[in-house]
Amino acid sequence: MPTPVDITALQSVSTAEAAAWHRIVAASMAHDLPAVPTPDPAQIHAQLTQPPLGSRRLTWLATTADGVPLGVAALRLFTSPGQDHLSELELHVDPAHRRLGAGSLLLSAAVAACRTENRRSLIAAAAPGSPGEAFSQQRGFRPALTLDHLLLRLDEPSDPGLPRITGTAPSGYRPAHWTGTVPDALADAFASAKNAMNDMPVGDLDYGSITWNADRVRAMAKVIADRGDTLLTTAAVHDDGTMAGYTEILLPQGRGPRAQQYDTAVVPAHRGHGLGLWIKAAMVRRLRAGHPDVVEIETDNADDNVHMLAVNHQLGFRSYRRTREFQLELPTT
């Protein structure tokens, strides 16, 4: 007889539930994404218990009738104007307990919540050729964006064939560096520069747009700090006081060897001066000098983001895996 599966909506995530969540995610990623480091238990606990920026999270746990954890699902419901049509799903089923219907039941719970919340778009990610890709396509998701994931090893000598990237800022610009919350004197300029991310390539995703202001950039830094991570930012400031571009790196709590690239953007009026390459190179030097425990950076780019891919390759990043973003269109009332 088929094993009965129970789906429980978690109103708040207990320590025991977070530990079960971590075990399922670790098993799922080891099976489907063996090259990707698994978040540690503290990271999972923080992700489940700390509120995300500009959104709220719904979570479900799939178990057998006698309480054995089988799978998990987290649905992020975006709430900011410009993205309040959007939802994002992360779903994992323990490989030892697949083919029991847990994934389908978790997805049904998430889709029902999307309809209740009047969301027209649900996005989810899976590796090409993975069980997650097949699962998504069988349930009506369509591929909307392909991401190229790249790694830069900081503990290896630079490729001698790469052009030397000077540490001196381009004429008319000066560097700015901070950790955590942006300094008050730069907050408005930084928020204005963050809005340059709205023209990044997103394929066919119904992603919407975000409007940044000083309060929002401060709130973003607080969310990251509250979950135990560290955000490093390096920027280029023009002589007139405007921020021309910036790059962000996330150091996960526990200081594992891999840092995560967050945003990199150059304001349209300042493009064409090599600022993207310069600020990313400045961040690499900052990591090498101040964070020797970090040995690699992971970034991802849309496969049609030709300019940023070229910048990353020039810095020495190399492709190591790909991800597809899938989208499910939902009827709205």
Side-chain angles (χ1 to χ4, degrees):
M1 292 180 60
T3 301
V5 177
D6 293 332
I7 304 296
T8 302
L10 304 179
Q11 301 306 314
S12 60
V13 179
S14 69
T15 300
E17 289 164 342
W21 195 293
H22 176 262
R23 289 193 297 272
I24 290 167
V25 170
S28 173
M29 290 182 64
H31 184 273
D32 297 341
L33 298 169
V36 181
T38 303
D40 67 25
Q43 288 174 284
I44 292 290
H45 186 270
Q47 290 168 6
L48 293 172
T49 57
Q50 296 295 326
L53 178 67
S55 58
R56 55 193 177 87
R57 185 186 294 109
L58 303 178
T59 54
W60 294 269
L61 176 66
T63 62
T64 62
D66 55 357
V68 176
L70 306 174
V72 294
L75 180 68
R76 184 179 180 188
L77 297 165
F78 292 78
T79 56
S80 298
Q83 287 194 314
D84 50 6
H85 64 283
L86 184 64
S87 54
E88 184 176 35
L89 178 65
E90 180 180 1
L91 190 155
H92 295 274
V93 176
D94 188 327
H97 300 292
R98 292 178 179 174
R99 307 290 182 180
L100 300 176
S104 295
L105 291 172
L106 287 166
L107 176 60
S108 293
V111 169
C114 288
R115 288 179 171 142
T116 298
E117 298 287 340
N118 204 34
R119 304 302 162 124
R120 70 171 185 253
S121 298
L122 174 61
I123 59 177
S130 70
E133 179 181 60
F135 178 88
S136 300
Q137 291 178 324
Q138 290 165 4
R139 286 155 182 82
F141 286 78
R142 61 172 180 81
L145 177 68
T146 300
L147 295 173
D148 193 4
H149 294 255
L150 306 96
L151 281 180
L152 175 65
R153 296 287 303 188
L154 300 178
D155 56 349
E156 296 176 351
S158 299
D159 185 338
L162 293 174
R164 179 175 175 80
I165 302 168
T166 178
T168 303
S171 178
Y173 300 91
R174 61 178 173 84
H177 309 276
W178 64 90
T179 299
T181 304
V182 60
D184 287 344
L186 293 174
D188 288 328
F190 182 44
S192 180
K194 289 282 282 185
N195 287 311
M197 288 298 294
N198 284 325
D199 68 358
M200 69 178 179
V202 294
D204 294 325
L205 286 177
D206 183 14
Y207 193 72
S209 62
I210 302 169
T211 300
W212 290 89
N213 56 31
D215 288 340
R216 185 179 176 92
V217 296
R218 293 186 184 105
M220 177 193 72
K222 184 178 186 302
V223 165
I224 291 170
D226 285 350
R227 69 180 189 228
D229 299 333
T230 301
L231 186 66
L232 307 179
T233 307
T234 289
V237 180
H238 191 260
D239 288 345
D240 65 6
T242 60
M243 190 169 293
Y246 67 93
T247 189
E248 299 167 323
I249 287 286
L250 183 88
L251 304 179
Q253 64 168 301
R255 292 296 191 277
R258 182 176 295 186
Q260 295 290 331
Q261 179 76 62
Y262 265 31
D263 290 352
T264 298
V266 176
V267 174
H270 296 276
R271 292 173 184 169
H273 302 290
L275 288 172
L277 181 62
W278 178 78
I279 56 177
K280 292 201 72 165
M283 178 64 84
V284 169
R285 286 191 292 271
R286 181 179 175 186
L287 285 171
R288 283 181 167 144
H291 300 276
D293 53 323
V294 176
V295 298
E296 59 189 8
I297 305 170
E298 179 175 359
T299 189
D300 62 70
N301 301 115
D303 64 354
D304 59 350
N305 191 349
V306 177
H307 175 73
M308 191 54 67
L309 283 168
V311 166
N312 285 327
H313 287 143
Q314 192 170 355
L315 282 167
F317 282 87
R318 295 294 177 260
S319 300
Y320 88 106
R321 68 183 181 98
R322 291 166 74 80
T323 296
R324 288 204 178 100
E325 297 274 346
F326 292 88
Q327 182 167 295
L328 180 66
E329 285 82 19
L330 299 167
T332 57
T333 57

